[in-house]
Amino acid sequence: MAARLGRWSARHRWWAILIWLGFVALATVVGSTVGTTAMESHEGQNGDSRRAQQIIDEAGFPDVAREMVIVQARHGGITVESPQFRQAVQEIRGAVEATGQVENLVTPYDPAGPAPRTSDGTTALVLFDMAGAGDTADDRVQPVLDAVAGVQGRYPELRVEQAGGASAQRLAGVAVNEDFRRAEALSLPITAIILLIAFGTLLPTLIPLGVSLSAFVAATGLLALTSKVLHVADTTTNLMLLIGLAVGVDYSLFYVRREREERAKGRSKERALEIAAATSGRAVLISGVTVIVAMAGLFLTDHGVFMGFAQGTILVVLTAMVASVTVLPAMLAVFGDAVDARVIHGIVRVATRGRVTWRRRLGGRTGGGRAWNAVLSAVLRRPWASTVVTTVLLVALAAPVVGIRLGQPGIDDLQGDYPIAATFKAIDRAFPGGNEPATVAVSAPDVSSPQMREAIEQLKSRAIAGGVAHEPVSVQVNPAGTVATVQLSIGYGDQGRRAVTALRERIIPETVGGQPGVRAYVTGNMAATVDFNRQMTRTAPLVLAFVLIFAFLLLLTSFRSITLAIQAIVLNLLSVAAAYGVLVLVFQHGHGAELLGFTPGPIVNWLPLFLFVILFGLSMDYQVFILSRIREAYDSGMTTEQAVSTGIKSSAGVITSAALIMVAVFAVFGTMSLLSFKQMGVGLAVAILIDATVVRAVLLPATMKLLGARAWYLPGWLARLPTLSHGEADMDEGEGEERRASPASDPVSVG
């Protein structure tokens, strides 16, 4: 199929390009018209948390941004009853109300429903709502922040600082959004520079970037359509760019390199494109389907964010895959040998007076460069030693994963110099759980009835009296009077989990849950963590089994070898495990914390499963491309050792370039302020680096040398399975006979 698609596109080049551009334009216009549908907050949760949040989302509560100001004595002797403390609170009230941007202000001195204060009297809160719509409050909060800062300047003996959703978005959210834009903006020039170094010429740099970016644009338009069925998180498009750029450039690299290689052998332009389509094009299809299958495993989690990520990634990989086997050969047919105009090569040659040439740096026509050749020769000479040493190294890197600790993203997710993070932490120390309370959503025909009011009061009093919760506690009722939310401050860690369990199993059933026609569920950060962990415990084994089984079957039908399929699965699992171990060493144990600018702590709880799926799919890229070259060489008549040497040397240069691009792009995301994305970027970069070097350059050839002819073992009862035909089958009969007759006379060049 890949050969036929490539052949048609090359022969009808302008039609192929116009059809692709029309598809991209249509997807973009339609996507912009319908718009991407973001998921509701409850769709990113599971279990009772999801049920509670759905009740709240559908209750029609006013869109309000709530803010608070902490007033805290910096030293002993000053309490809430001190004159200067009282005066500071009154000045806060006057200053923020004077801005005209606040309403419903409450102080600790109000006789009815006062704002909370600590038992020792050293800390109190001033609470208020931002006037107007909550989703735009960050645009209006700056005058309020300035007013609070003015009070702080007049009372150095007190800590007077503001925090809340609007102020957090204003003081930190903008910077985080800038992080995303900076990471995305840096990804493109970094990719272009690496491609320029790899090819030494401009067109092979622009063509992969053009294919990748057009695929991303088209996939974004398609996402707008599919999001009407399955809503997506806001960060889905960020992930799509990250993955789309990585796989799109990879696919184009392999395709362009193979076409240039065949031209260097003297093939005609048409023949070179046909061979590239039949070999690299086929590998692109197998690799793309493998990534899609891996990402499809996330649908089994039944978690909205994961399913949205899977949806977006599948779309961008699918469009990149289609572009690589259709419009890419058409563009190569249009430009012909102009893609090899070596402007950069000439500059290097002139600048060094001929002492340095690009071919020498890239390893010439004989393979992947001196380093790759030296490593590969040593590995093939001592395969047992190479296998043992490499396996021990990977197992040692993976060992720290035994002590991994997982945690839910919270205020600690924001790393860097953000004073508002310190403010949130100060509030949390004074009022534990106040920033992230447990919220009981109560749905009833009339939550304002005497029976329901009494039941809600019993819920509050029993939770506080039993040590399950503490002040501040707040109750809100929706305009229809059918839903009430009870926010209870609870602790963290085991204490928080015990509080959620007590609320669900004992306190709610014995109070509001015991009323007729009432539904009551608990949500909040801790409750969501409990439900997420429970959901992952149930579904993660299904995801792992799904990915491994389907990847195995795909490799089996692609390469007609049960041994190679098992080897690929084992190697990928080793590289993923090593990446997990490095994550624990860096982010949990703190090695490199100063360099990366973060505070050590637990690994974000959604990351391990997400990394497994992404890394398994991306790692399979290199496995498929290398095995395709090895299988091609083996089918031409070489021994297994000759095929391994030829296949790896012929793909070394492009594997190096592709890996460098992925590592560089992912590493950029490791510089972000959000710890979760920092962990994701570093984890992906380290995993790809390990996979493209230690695993593919050492462990893969060493184990294949040890396996010998057994590497191609296929039981007779499996021989009846359908197969994805090899590229040689799509070449003309005469050329296949010529290559089989002289397997070593046509060395592969990566030029």
Side-chain angles (χ1 to χ4, degrees), residues 7 60 79 88 120 148 178 237 262 347 416 427 474 517 575 654:
R7 187 180 301 119
T79 67
D120 62 3
V148 172
E178 285 295 325
T237 53
E262 296 302 326
I347 294 174
I427 295 171
S474 63
S575 61
V654 69

Side-chain angles (χ1 to χ4, degrees), residues 33-53:
T33 302
V34 302
T36 303
T37 304
M39 66 169 57
E40 300 288 342
S41 55
H42 70 270
E43 293 176 304
Q45 300 182 29
N46 298 102
D48 279 2
S49 297
R50 182 185 180 110
R51 298 182 186 95
Q53 193 61 52

Side-chain angles (χ1 to χ4, degrees), residues 445-659:
D446 182 8
V447 295
S448 299
S449 66
Q451 296 87 348
M452 287 304 302
R453 286 202 303 268
E454 181 180 355
I456 290 173
E457 285 300 319
Q458 288 178 355
L459 168 66
K460 291 164 52 179
S461 60
R462 289 191 58 175
I464 294 175
V468 172
H470 53 82
E471 295 287 353
V473 175
S474 63
V475 179
Q476 291 182 307
V477 177
N478 71 331
T482 57
V483 174
T485 60
V486 184
Q487 291 192 329
L488 304 161
S489 298
I490 60 174
Y492 295 105
D494 291 338
Q495 181 183 355
R497 282 185 284 272
R498 287 194 297 269
V500 169
T501 300
L503 286 169
R504 287 175 170 174
E505 296 181 359
R506 180 167 48 86
I507 297 177
I508 290 177
E510 295 174 0
T511 55
V512 292
Q515 301 298 315
V518 172
R519 294 181 297 144
Y521 306 103
V522 182
T523 187
N525 193 59
M526 181 55 67
T529 301
V530 170
D531 292 334
F532 177 85
N533 292 341
R534 188 175 297 156
Q535 181 75 0
M536 290 304 104
T537 301
R538 288 197 300 264
T539 61
L542 296 177
V543 175
L544 267 63
F546 175 88
V547 172
L548 295 178
I549 291 172
F550 275 86
F552 173 80
L553 293 176
L554 186 61
L555 290 168
L556 181 64
T557 55
S558 300
F559 296 105
R560 308 298 290 172
S561 167
I562 193 171
T563 310
L564 289 183
I566 294 173
Q567 180 207 41
I569 299 296
V570 173
L571 293 187
N572 278 14
L573 289 176
L574 273 175
S575 61
V576 170
Y580 284 173
V582 173
L583 266 181
V584 173
L585 283 174
V586 174
F587 290 99
Q588 193 169 305
H589 297 173
H591 299 291
E594 292 185 5
L595 178 64
L596 295 174
F598 68 89
T599 302
I603 307 299
V604 180
N605 59 2
W606 56 263
L607 194 60
L609 183 63
F610 179 75
L611 275 185
F612 168 80
V613 173
I614 293 287
L615 292 177
F616 200 90
L618 295 181
S619 297
M620 201 61 76
D621 270 3
Y622 302 139
Q623 184 79 8
V624 167
F625 282 110
I626 293 175
L627 285 182
S628 296
R629 297 305 297 262
I630 294 174
R631 182 74 202 219
E632 185 182 335
Y634 180 78
D635 287 345
S636 71
M638 295 183 184
T639 65
T640 299
E641 183 173 350
Q642 289 173 329
V644 169
S645 179
T646 300
I648 291 181
K649 286 180 179 179
S650 64
S651 55
V654 69
I655 290 290
T656 301
S657 302

